[in-house]
mmCIF file of all heavy atoms in Angstrom:
data_model
loop_
_atom_site.group_PDB
_atom_site.id
_atom_site.type_symbol
_atom_site.label_atom_id
_atom_site.label_comp_id
_atom_site.label_asym_id
_atom_site.label_seq_id
_atom_site.Cartn_x
_atom_site.Cartn_y
_atom_site.Cartn_z
ATOM 1 N N THR A 421 -5.899 31.901 -17.536
ATOM 2 C CA THR A 421 -7.306 31.672 -17.183
ATOM 3 C C THR A 421 -7.952 30.685 -18.146
ATOM 4 O O THR A 421 -8.647 29.741 -17.724
ATOM 5 C CB THR A 421 -8.077 33.003 -17.193
ATOM 6 O OG1 THR A 421 -7.484 33.906 -16.265
ATOM 7 C CG2 THR A 421 -9.537 32.770 -16.823
ATOM 8 N N GLU A 422 -7.716 30.894 -19.450
ATOM 9 C CA GLU A 422 -8.274 29.974 -20.449
ATOM 10 C C GLU A 422 -7.698 28.570 -20.282
ATOM 11 O O GLU A 422 -8.421 27.576 -20.390
ATOM 12 C CB GLU A 422 -7.995 30.498 -21.862
ATOM 13 C CG GLU A 422 -8.788 31.749 -22.231
ATOM 14 C CD GLU A 422 -8.501 32.199 -23.654
ATOM 15 O OE1 GLU A 422 -7.702 31.498 -24.343
ATOM 16 O OE2 GLU A 422 -9.048 33.220 -24.077
ATOM 17 N N ARG A 423 -6.420 28.509 -20.023
ATOM 18 C CA ARG A 423 -5.773 27.203 -19.876
ATOM 19 C C ARG A 423 -6.359 26.441 -18.691
ATOM 20 O O ARG A 423 -6.556 25.227 -18.762
ATOM 21 C CB ARG A 423 -4.269 27.392 -19.718
ATOM 22 C CG ARG A 423 -3.514 26.101 -19.524
ATOM 23 C CD ARG A 423 -2.078 26.232 -19.977
ATOM 24 N NE ARG A 423 -1.981 26.294 -21.421
ATOM 25 C CZ ARG A 423 -0.832 26.189 -22.100
ATOM 26 N NH1 ARG A 423 0.306 26.036 -21.447
ATOM 27 N NH2 ARG A 423 -0.813 26.253 -23.401
ATOM 28 N N ARG A 424 -6.635 27.149 -17.615
ATOM 29 C CA ARG A 424 -7.213 26.479 -16.448
ATOM 30 C C ARG A 424 -8.602 25.927 -16.766
ATOM 31 O O ARG A 424 -8.941 24.792 -16.398
ATOM 32 C CB ARG A 424 -7.289 27.449 -15.270
ATOM 33 C CG ARG A 424 -7.996 26.887 -14.041
ATOM 34 C CD ARG A 424 -8.015 27.885 -12.900
ATOM 35 N NE ARG A 424 -8.805 27.394 -11.772
ATOM 36 C CZ ARG A 424 -10.105 27.587 -11.639
ATOM 37 N NH1 ARG A 424 -10.771 28.300 -12.569
ATOM 38 N NH2 ARG A 424 -10.749 27.102 -10.593
ATOM 39 N N LEU A 425 -9.439 26.732 -17.436
ATOM 40 C CA LEU A 425 -10.789 26.291 -17.762
ATOM 41 C C LEU A 425 -10.789 25.113 -18.734
ATOM 42 O O LEU A 425 -11.770 24.366 -18.824
ATOM 43 C CB LEU A 425 -11.599 27.451 -18.355
ATOM 44 C CG LEU A 425 -11.894 28.608 -17.388
ATOM 45 C CD1 LEU A 425 -12.614 29.742 -18.110
ATOM 46 C CD2 LEU A 425 -12.733 28.119 -16.201
ATOM 47 N N GLU A 426 -9.702 24.923 -19.451
ATOM 48 C CA GLU A 426 -9.548 23.771 -20.359
ATOM 49 C C GLU A 426 -9.032 22.533 -19.629
ATOM 50 O O GLU A 426 -8.876 21.475 -20.229
ATOM 51 C CB GLU A 426 -8.587 24.135 -21.492
ATOM 52 C CG GLU A 426 -9.125 25.203 -22.430
ATOM 53 C CD GLU A 426 -8.051 25.757 -23.361
ATOM 54 O OE1 GLU A 426 -6.857 25.414 -23.170
ATOM 55 O OE2 GLU A 426 -8.399 26.531 -24.278
ATOM 56 N N GLY A 427 -8.758 22.684 -18.346
ATOM 57 C CA GLY A 427 -8.261 21.560 -17.560
ATOM 58 C C GLY A 427 -6.787 21.301 -17.733
ATOM 59 O O GLY A 427 -6.302 20.195 -17.422
ATOM 60 N N ASN A 428 -6.028 22.297 -18.184
ATOM 61 C CA ASN A 428 -4.606 22.104 -18.485
ATOM 62 C C ASN A 428 -3.676 22.763 -17.472
ATOM 63 O O ASN A 428 -2.487 22.941 -17.757
ATOM 64 C CB ASN A 428 -4.298 22.650 -19.888
ATOM 65 C CG ASN A 428 -4.980 21.838 -20.971
ATOM 66 O OD1 ASN A 428 -5.086 20.617 -20.865
ATOM 67 N ND2 ASN A 428 -5.460 22.510 -22.016
ATOM 68 N N CYS A 429 -4.195 23.124 -16.323
ATOM 69 C CA CYS A 429 -3.359 23.709 -15.276
ATOM 70 C C CYS A 429 -3.286 22.773 -14.078
ATOM 71 O O CYS A 429 -4.241 22.045 -13.783
ATOM 72 C CB CYS A 429 -3.938 25.063 -14.808
ATOM 73 S SG CYS A 429 -3.568 26.441 -15.904
ATOM 74 N N PRO A 430 -2.163 22.791 -13.354
ATOM 75 C CA PRO A 430 -2.106 22.029 -12.103
ATOM 76 C C PRO A 430 -3.122 22.581 -11.113
ATOM 77 O O PRO A 430 -3.414 23.774 -11.110
ATOM 78 C CB PRO A 430 -0.671 22.271 -11.600
ATOM 79 C CG PRO A 430 0.086 22.816 -12.769
ATOM 80 C CD PRO A 430 -0.904 23.520 -13.624
ATOM 81 N N MET A 431 -3.667 21.731 -10.281
ATOM 82 C CA MET A 431 -4.551 22.204 -9.225
ATOM 83 C C MET A 431 -3.773 23.106 -8.272
ATOM 84 O O MET A 431 -2.598 22.853 -7.986
ATOM 85 C CB MET A 431 -5.094 21.023 -8.406
ATOM 86 C CG MET A 431 -6.188 20.234 -9.059
ATOM 87 S SD MET A 431 -6.739 18.950 -7.890
ATOM 88 C CE MET A 431 -8.079 18.220 -8.818
ATOM 89 N N THR A 432 -4.415 24.141 -7.794
ATOM 90 C CA THR A 432 -3.800 24.947 -6.739
ATOM 91 C C THR A 432 -3.848 24.144 -5.434
ATOM 92 O O THR A 432 -4.650 23.199 -5.302
ATOM 93 C CB THR A 432 -4.561 26.266 -6.540
ATOM 94 O OG1 THR A 432 -5.861 25.979 -5.998
ATOM 95 C CG2 THR A 432 -4.704 27.022 -7.865
#
Side-chain angles (χ1 to χ4, degrees):
T421 301
E422 290 182 2
R423 178 155 288 191
R424 175 179 174 272
L425 294 176
E426 293 168 352
N428 293 323
C429 281
M431 283 183 177
T432 68

